[in-house]
Amino acid sequence: MASVTTVFIAGLLVLAVHNVNGGDCLKNYIQVTQGTTGNLPSGTPIFSVQITNECPRDCSIAQIHLSCDSFASELLINPMIFRKLGINDCLVNNGKPLANGAAISFKYASNAKLPLAVSSLTCSP
């Protein structure tokens, strides 16, 4: 019985420490929405992207990486907001935390809407 109690208490301590360090952050806490906003003079569609932290608790989320296929834009995008790191890997907000309820946005121009989805993230205390 003592070993069961010890294991239970150890488990509670792990959970307590985990929650102090930011708890669990889920990919679906980050919402990525896109819409068309017009065209370049060349006719290339312009897409507006908004990335929002919708964590149900007061949690900041950092190191937000999106799968971004072969992302390319005819519009210049501030690399501190969104940049391609490699094949199918783009970084949001230069890796810095996005506060609960906060959003970051940018526009890109491409012949087609590109699939953008959260691939990884980190809880930020």
Side-chain angles (χ1 to χ4, degrees):
M1 183 67 166
S3 64
V4 171
T5 303
T6 303
V7 169
F8 179 75
I9 291 172
L12 287 176
L13 287 173
V14 168
L15 286 174
V17 169
H18 186 66
N19 286 334
V20 167
N21 290 328
D24 291 321
C25 292
L26 304 176
K27 290 179 186 177
N28 67 352
Y29 290 170
I30 298 295
Q31 295 299 312
V32 180
T33 55
Q34 293 190 65
T36 56
T37 61
N39 295 305
L40 292 176
S42 65
T44 303
I46 300 171
F47 297 92
S48 176
V49 178
Q50 183 166 313
I51 301 163
T52 308
N53 178 352
E54 295 185 351
C55 179
R57 305 179 314 278
D58 185 23
C59 56
S60 293
I61 300 176
Q63 292 299 321
I64 302 167
H65 288 257
L66 302 183
S67 57
C68 53
D69 201 28
S70 56
F71 185 87
S73 175
E74 292 182 35
L75 286 177
L76 190 60
I77 300 169
N78 181 340
M80 302 302 272
I81 292 175
F82 185 82
R83 74 173 180 270
K84 186 169 184 173
L85 297 177
I87 297 171
N88 207 28
D89 183 21
C90 291
L91 182 65
V92 175
N93 201 28
N94 204 34
K96 295 179 183 175
L98 191 60
N100 183 281
I104 194 164
S105 59
F106 64 93
K107 293 180 180 179
Y108 71 93
S110 179
N111 288 324
K113 183 166 89 169
L114 299 168
L116 300 174
V118 177
S119 58
S120 67
L121 50 77
T122 303
C123 289
S124 180

